[in-house]
Amino acid sequence: MIHLPFRRAAGRRPAPGRARVGLLVGVLLLAGAAVVPAVNPDPAAAVAGPTPSASVYRNMPTDPTAVVLGSERFPVHGDGVGDDTASVQAAIDEASRRGGENWLGNIVGGARNVTVGDGGGVVFVPQGRYRLSRQVDLHASVRLIGFGATRPEFVLGDATPGFQQGNQSFLFAALRRPHEPGAARSFGNNDTFGTGLVNLDIRIGSGNPAAVAVRFSGAQMFVLQDLDIHVGDGYAGIDHNANLIQRVNVYGGTVGMLAFAASPGWQTTLLDTTFSGQREAAVKLHTDSKLSLIRNRFLDSPAGIVATPGQTQRLYVQDSVFENISGSAITLNDSASVAGGSEPELIRAQNQLNVVDTGVSGTGALLTTVPSGHTWAGPGPSYLVRDATLGLRVHDALGADERRADGVLVAATPAAPASFTRLLTPDAPLPPDTGDWVNVVEYAAARGVTVGTGTSDDHAIFQRAIDEHDTVYVPMGRYLIGDTLRLRPQSNLIGLHPRQTWLKLPDRAPGFTDPEQPKAMVQTPLGGRNQVTGLGLDSAQQTAGSVQVHWRSGERSYLADIATQFVKWHPEQTTPGDPGAGDPGYQYRGRHKYSFWVQGGGGTFANIWSVAGWADNGFLIEDTSVRGRMYEVSVEHHEHREVVLRRVRNWELHALQTEDHIYGWRSQAVELDDVHDVLFGNTVFFRVATVQGPYPYAVGLRDSSGIVIRGTRGYRPDNVANTRWGATIADVSTGRTVPEIEVAYLGVGVPGPAPTPAGVHVALDAPEIQVLPGRAGSTVLRVRNDGPGTLTGLALDVRAPDGWQVRARPDAGTLRAGGTASIAVDVQVPADTVADGTVGLAVAYTRAGRRQEIPQTLRIRVAGENLARGAAVQATSVLSTNVASNAVDGDRTGTRWISGAGDPAPTLTVDLGQPAQLARLDLYSGVAGSTALRVRAFRVEALVDGAWTSIGSVAANTASPVGVDLAGAPAGIRQVRLVFTEPSPTDATARVFEVEIHGIRQG
């Protein structure tokens, strides 16, 4: 087992240290100068590159319920040449059929138009190379699990038809429903559970630019684990994402992962995962993605993590490394560019970022926000980010000195790349060697006992196997366990599918009926190194004293991939028409003790779904200072409390998700009592839309300190009286609350000073300016040095289109820590310029003997906008209904203004609303479908210093439109008048479809 050394108490602030965001002082340069390349650290000092991964399951266990690829019914070539698609799909179909037939782990079967169970199944894949030629459908809750001395590999052949166009050609696609011949197919969603790809490799051959290795969307218990995905020149490795992605390496592709929120809106956790060599970005964030990235590597790509414009994001990065990223490590949207909701006092912004203990080397900036282009770089070419946030920070929460800050904080310190290796040390052990597994069914059969039928008590033979062997494998089935299974310190209990492998209490089992004397189905010893994985635990109905797991193991232990029975608590009576009446999820009543009970123990907990809602709470942790780490744990539907911590220290709870249900208005998300040095990272505290009442807070605490919440999501804009929490957190002793219900950072009783900024911050006052042809526009580039030390050799390098002139006037040559420099940037474009363009600006400086740069992009809009569209307009005369406003309504060929009879020199006066710099005027005139009756001559006048002054004219005109160059007009014009000196060639009547006045507003 691999142990992650304890670095610091969870939730404790980093030690004081200067972390500064630097600004750059520029020098005058002309257009066309080259941008200084980023300087990489010594490659020999960098963290070693990724290596091919080994198979974690070398021997295939016996399991009659599983389907085996390559068996008699499912023959394959297995050589990477012959097409194995049909057999692979048939094996998956059969695994799904078996799960639908046995109803093990069923949730939606019998409801929502699903006529079979949805518990899925397992396909065992022996080592080999399996060529695929079309999409393979992963039906709901089916898992493909590889075995062999080397991992099996699925290969998409070179230039396979169907994988050339777009970016939606999936090799594997997780579907919503179990396999039913002829049924419509749809992708996994909020009622899809348990699908997985485990211990497999995927390779996309050349000539498949649209190929995506895995389309992976669902609700709970999804897992991508121990995969190497070679995308090559394909599009992406993973599209959408569900719950746990662990020990996955994605090589190549345009994008490594296209990240969305898991289907109900939950988080996704990536552990010990690498993205390398992507052509555009390692990860692209899409709709409300909530990623928890822990011990991840991002290397050798133009960009690390990039948000799709206009989308919200909640991004948490810890113990990770960005290496040799030519652009920014992270690019997010400005909070101001994404709506924060209708209650800004509660929802400051929809964007959250946390970066904690993460190394950056050979990379551009740490963070850029768009469209503003604000950029934060670290304090050197290689540095450790102690704490970086985007969003609301609440310090000393619930105390008399509580204070808030918005925006971006970067606290970092210079560090050598070699020191980052420690960040990547896993805390989740690999599975036990399959050569040591003892199959409990085979063990029992050798002793004349049949187990796993769900009809007789299997406890005795089960316990005997555990007593005699360190690792007991549990094939799929239902095992009645009439007493506690007690593990030894080195015992491992291994299943491979938690919705098909159930340990179940017999109803009214002796010893499990008294809630005041809780008794566990599975119990581990104090300090044990146990692994318990891949099991479903069903505590039955009339067992009010039952607990699914009583965990006392030490910090090197592992509890993962565990589900409980699906039960939503039910009130004693329901009202006719109640939305829960008749729903199988609400059919039980119970007063059970709790589900998961950690007492005096710790370790790593991952991908757990605690949904036996009749229990008092779903996850209780008490009386422990043993280090604990929780990843991607879902605790839902409990009547009173979802998660409870009592007398706990030194825990991290990452991607914890809670959800009450329609009757759950009495349920709080988390209760803390005498808890210290605990971190909650990237939480979702959720209330369903149909919940029947409000609750005053999500987290209630008493007598607790060192509590840090980094990132919360808990707001719903509909039915807000019930579905929003009254506050994120409350001290139940004093009554103090933090009313904001989405925060990036919230600290309660955190010792030590607040983090100190470090590095360089660069921002343009206006990332886009308008410039008229032949004229100049300007903005200011500001550079702030947050230290440590002085920036010297400050320069601004410029790259602009040919013929454009750029001048930069810095106000300082060096920049001390804490100082800000301002650089005026003037851009003049040639008179014949018609297209918009960009100017590249590179702020270069030297810190501690190393040259660095921060790029910025200044967008230039040439020729401005139509200032007359919708402007106030007056005419000296009007014919019938052809009013003056028709001339500025944007319709160039339909509606029009016509001057009245007897007005030989009619005029139109346009008020632009504010001063402007004018470029040209375009006039559309005449009658539709004819060249006759167009305006022949007119004069353009501007009101200058109270007098009308001519700024242009047209004579002998026959065209529509006809343009007037106004580049010579003075600046600051607000009113423009057209005087029609020859309105038409025949009748002295002006007929004007549209007047367009192009320019730039100045105020």
Side-chain angles (χ1 to χ4, degrees):
M1 298 183 186
I2 301 173
H3 168 51
L4 176 62
F6 181 72
R7 293 190 304 280
R8 60 178 174 82
R12 192 174 300 277
R13 286 184 182 169
R18 295 294 295 176
R20 302 166 188 159
V21 181
L23 305 181
L24 177 64
V25 180
V27 297
L28 175 62
L29 290 174
L30 296 179
V35 176
V36 177
V39 178
N40 293 336
D42 180 5
V47 180
T51 57
S53 304
S55 175
V56 299
Y57 297 133
R58 298 178 64 83
N59 309 104
M60 186 170 64
T62 301
D63 191 332
T65 306
V67 175
V68 179
L69 187 65
S71 60
E72 184 175 354
R73 286 186 57 190
F74 309 101
V76 292
H77 300 87
D79 57 4
V81 178
D83 190 346
D84 291 323
T85 311
S87 283
V88 172
Q89 187 63 70
I92 293 171
D93 293 349
E94 175 61 15
S96 181
R97 187 196 67 78
R98 295 180 187 183
E101 186 178 77
N102 65 31
W103 283 71
L104 288 173
N106 176 67
I107 295 175
V108 299
R112 308 182 193 182
N113 299 316
V114 180
T115 60
V116 298
D118 67 321
V122 169
V123 177
F124 288 157
V125 183
Q127 71 181 64
R129 301 186 79 236
Y130 304 94
R131 185 172 73 82
L132 303 177
S133 60
R134 64 179 184 273
Q135 176 178 307
V136 173
D137 294 338
L138 282 171
H139 305 298
S141 201
V142 172
R143 293 186 170 187
L144 268 64
I145 303 177
F147 289 89
T150 59
R151 295 207 296 227
E153 183 176 66
F154 290 99
V155 179
L156 179 65
D158 293 351
T160 299
F163 292 88
Q164 281 69 51
Q165 301 297 323
N167 56 14
Q168 295 284 303
S169 298
F170 306 116
L171 191 55
F172 288 96
L175 300 190
R176 178 185 185 191
R177 294 298 189 214
H179 174 63
E180 292 185 272
R185 300 186 305 175
S186 59
F187 294 127
N189 70 349
N190 64 330
D191 60 9
T192 313
F193 316 99
T195 307
L197 295 174
V198 179
N199 199 44
L200 306 166
D201 290 342
I202 300 173
R203 187 177 298 274
I204 295 173
S206 63
N208 297 295
V212 178
V214 185
R215 210 280 191 183
F216 210 62
S217 57
Q220 272 97 354
M221 305 303 297
F222 271 51
V223 61
L224 292 177
Q225 193 172 54
D226 296 299
L227 304 178
D228 281 359
I229 302 175
H230 300 270
V231 187
D233 61 8
Y235 184 69
I238 304 168
D239 180 30
H240 285 68
N241 43 272
N243 309 115
L244 180 64
I245 299 174
Q246 184 176 24
R247 296 190 296 265
V248 173
N249 300 311
V250 181
Y251 302 99
T254 301
V255 179
M257 182 170 76
L258 304 164
F260 294 74
S263 192
W266 307 153
Q267 312 94 311
T268 297
T269 298
L270 280 72
L271 300 178
D272 309 306
T273 288
T274 295
F275 294 92
S276 176
Q278 282 72 50
R279 294 185 294 279
E280 287 188 5
V283 176
K284 294 190 79 170
L285 306 177
H286 288 266
T287 310
D288 196 26
S289 56
K290 304 177 185 72
L291 292 187
S292 291
L293 307 173
I294 301 171
R295 299 186 303 274
N296 284 220
R297 294 183 69 193
F298 307 89
L299 64 155
D300 301 332
S301 295
I305 303 167
V306 178
T308 301
Q311 297 292 339
T312 61
Q313 59 269 314
R314 290 165 179 85
L315 178 64
Y316 184 96
V317 184
Q318 179 178 316
D319 296 334
S320 296
V321 179
F322 294 89
E323 307 166 61
N324 300 326
I325 305 296
S326 56
S328 293
I330 301 170
T331 301
L332 301 181
N333 294 314
D334 294 301
S335 289
S337 71
V338 182
S342 59
E343 298 174 284
E345 72 279 6
L346 298 179
I347 309 297
R348 300 279 186 101
Q350 291 286 338
N351 293 337
Q352 297 169 5
L353 169 69
N354 278 275
V355 182
V356 183
D357 289 345
T358 289
V360 181
S361 67
T363 294
L366 171 67
L367 172 66
T368 297
T369 59
V370 294
S372 71
H374 287 208
T375 301
W376 291 261
S382 179
Y383 54 94
L384 179 69
V385 180
R386 298 289 190 185
D387 184 355
T389 57
L390 165 66
L392 174 64
R393 292 181 69 102
V394 183
H395 290 275
D396 297 317
L398 306 178
D401 297 325
E402 183 177 280
R403 60 197 185 279
R404 286 160 173 75
D406 284 306
V408 173
L409 167 78
V410 175
T413 184
S419 68
F420 301 155
T421 301
R422 66 179 179 83
L423 301 172
L424 302 172
T425 305
D427 59 17
L430 295 175
D433 191 327
T434 51
D436 298 331
W437 292 9
V438 172
N439 187 315
V440 70
V441 173
E442 294 175 338
Y443 176 90
R447 289 153 182 81
V449 178
T450 299
V451 297
T453 64
T455 58
S456 59
D457 191 342
D458 299 330
H459 175 268
I461 195 71
F462 227 115
Q463 185 65 58
R464 183 176 171 185
I466 291 170
D467 292 342
E468 294 178 4
H469 299 279
D470 289 347
T471 301
V472 174
Y473 168 68
V474 188
M476 290 182 286
R478 180 181 285 113
Y479 303 83
L480 287 183
I481 304 296
D483 200 353
T484 302
L485 292 177
R486 302 180 188 277
L487 275 58
R488 297 176 295 122
Q490 68 272 34
S491 291
N492 304 309
L493 198 57
I494 307 297
L496 293 174
H497 198 312
R499 300 192 62 225
Q500 284 284 304
T501 312
W502 287 93
L503 306 185
K504 178 176 172 57
L505 278 180
D507 234 350
R508 295 184 174 85
F512 290 90
T513 58
D514 184 358
E516 300 308 313
Q517 298 185 50
K519 185 174 181 177
M521 297 175 63
V522 177
Q523 180 174 293
T524 65
L526 280 170
R529 298 169 60 99
N530 311 98
Q531 290 191 47
V532 178
T533 61
L535 300 174
L537 302 172
D538 186 341
S539 60
Q541 296 184 35
Q542 306 303 320
T543 55
S546 64
V547 176
Q548 271 88 349
V549 176
H550 186 196
W551 192 263
R552 301 186 296 168
S553 303
E555 68 172 280
R556 299 187 182 186
S557 60
Y558 190 49
L559 180 69
D561 203 28
I562 303 292
T564 69
Q565 77 267 40
F566 183 86
V567 179
K568 296 181 180 180
W569 75 270
H570 196 304
E572 291 304 315
Q573 295 182 352
T574 58
T575 302
D578 188 303
D583 188 319
Y586 297 86
Q587 62 187 321
Y588 302 118
R589 298 172 176 85
R591 292 292 183 271
H592 285 51
K593 194 61 179 177
Y594 20 76
S595 295
F596 293 89
W597 180 17
V598 180
Q599 186 185 43
T604 300
F605 305 79
N607 208 31
I608 294 172
W609 192 16
S610 177
V611 68
W614 52 25
D616 172 82
N617 64 74
F619 214 111
L620 169 65
I621 309 167
E622 64 179 2
D623 298 314
T624 184
S625 59
V626 178
R627 188 173 183 233
R629 292 86 63 205
M630 181 184 288
Y631 305 111
E632 198 69 23
V633 173
S634 177
V635 186
E636 300 182 320
H637 309 317
H638 296 85
E639 181 175 359
H640 299 294
R641 294 157 299 183
E642 305 284 12
V643 177
V644 178
L645 280 69
R646 301 171 182 152
R647 301 173 296 280
V648 174
R649 290 180 180 271
N650 300 334
W651 273 62
E652 298 182 8
L653 295 86
H654 294 284
L656 171 66
Q657 172 257 315
T658 66
E659 180 194 76
D660 56 20
H661 68 307
I662 64 172
Y663 308 115
W665 62 273
R666 293 193 295 268
S667 178
Q668 71 182 79
V670 177
E671 177 183 286
L672 305 176
D673 190 353
D674 191 12
V675 173
H676 307 276
D677 297 328
V678 169
L679 167 69
F680 293 85
N682 198 21
T683 60
V684 171
F685 301 137
F686 189 76
R687 312 198 84 211
V688 299
T690 54
V691 69
Q692 295 183 340
Y695 199 86
Y697 47 80
V699 180
L701 62 77
R702 61 169 57 86
D703 300 327
S704 299
S705 65
I707 309 302
V708 172
I709 299 175
R710 285 187 175 273
T712 62
R713 175 75 166 108
Y715 176 75
R716 289 179 63 99
D718 54 343
N719 189 20
V720 294
N722 290 348
T723 59
R724 73 182 184 198
W725 301 98
T728 291
I729 193 167
D731 186 323
V732 298
S733 299
T734 66
R736 291 180 180 270
T737 68
V738 173
E740 294 92 345
I741 48 184
E742 296 202 1
V743 298
Y745 172 94
L746 186 156
V748 179
V750 178
T756 303
V760 173
H761 175 225
V762 176
L764 285 160
D765 283 0
E768 178 179 282
I769 60 175
Q770 295 179 332
V771 179
L772 297 177
R775 299 198 185 181
S778 64
T779 187
V780 176
L781 181 67
R782 303 188 190 277
V783 184
R784 188 181 73 235
N785 178 15
D786 288 332
T790 299
L791 305 183
T792 61
L794 303 174
L796 183 65
D797 290 348
V798 177
R799 179 177 293 163
D802 290 343
W804 291 29
Q805 297 297 312
V806 180
R807 294 176 58 84
R809 297 187 298 275
D811 63 0
T814 61
L815 192 60
R816 297 184 182 276
T820 299
S822 299
I823 307 172
V825 179
D826 298 325
V827 180
Q828 182 168 356
V829 301
D832 59 354
T833 303
V834 295
D836 296 344
T838 60
V839 173
L841 305 171
V843 175
Y845 57 89
T846 298
R847 187 199 297 275
R850 299 298 298 267
R851 195 71 174 163
Q852 295 178 251
E853 70 169 33
I854 301 175
Q856 292 278 280
T857 299
L858 176 60
R859 299 181 296 276
I860 308 297
R861 289 188 57 193
V862 177
E865 59 183 310
N866 177 13
L867 306 176
R869 175 74 178 269
V873 60
Q874 292 182 339
T876 53
S877 63
V878 172
L879 178 64
S880 186
T881 60
N882 301 289
V883 295
S885 60
N886 290 346
V888 292
D889 65 359
D891 188 346
R892 295 171 170 175
T893 60
T895 59
R896 57 183 173 165
W897 164 69
I898 302 178
S899 64
D903 187 358
T907 66
L908 273 178
T909 303
V910 181
D911 189 331
L912 304 178
Q914 64 188 72
Q917 185 177 35
L918 305 184
R920 75 176 191 279
L921 181 146
D922 294 326
L923 182 76
Y924 296 79
S925 68
V927 297
S930 172
T931 60
L933 302 180
R934 289 174 175 167
V935 169
R936 293 297 300 273
F938 61 95
R939 183 171 67 251
V940 182
E941 298 178 342
L943 190 62
V944 180
D945 296 330
W948 288 105
T949 303
S950 178
I951 57 174
S953 63
V954 168
N957 175 57
T958 60
S960 179
V962 59
V964 182
D965 185 1
L966 303 180
I973 291 173
R974 174 170 173 164
Q975 294 189 47
V976 175
R977 183 169 70 181
L978 283 77
V979 180
F980 296 93
T981 54
E982 189 176 352
S984 78
T986 60
D987 60 3
T989 299
R991 299 169 177 83
V992 175
F993 288 108
E994 195 73 13
V995 175
E996 296 180 355
I997 303 172
H998 298 273
I1000 299 173
R1001 300 186 190 277
Q1002 296 180 310

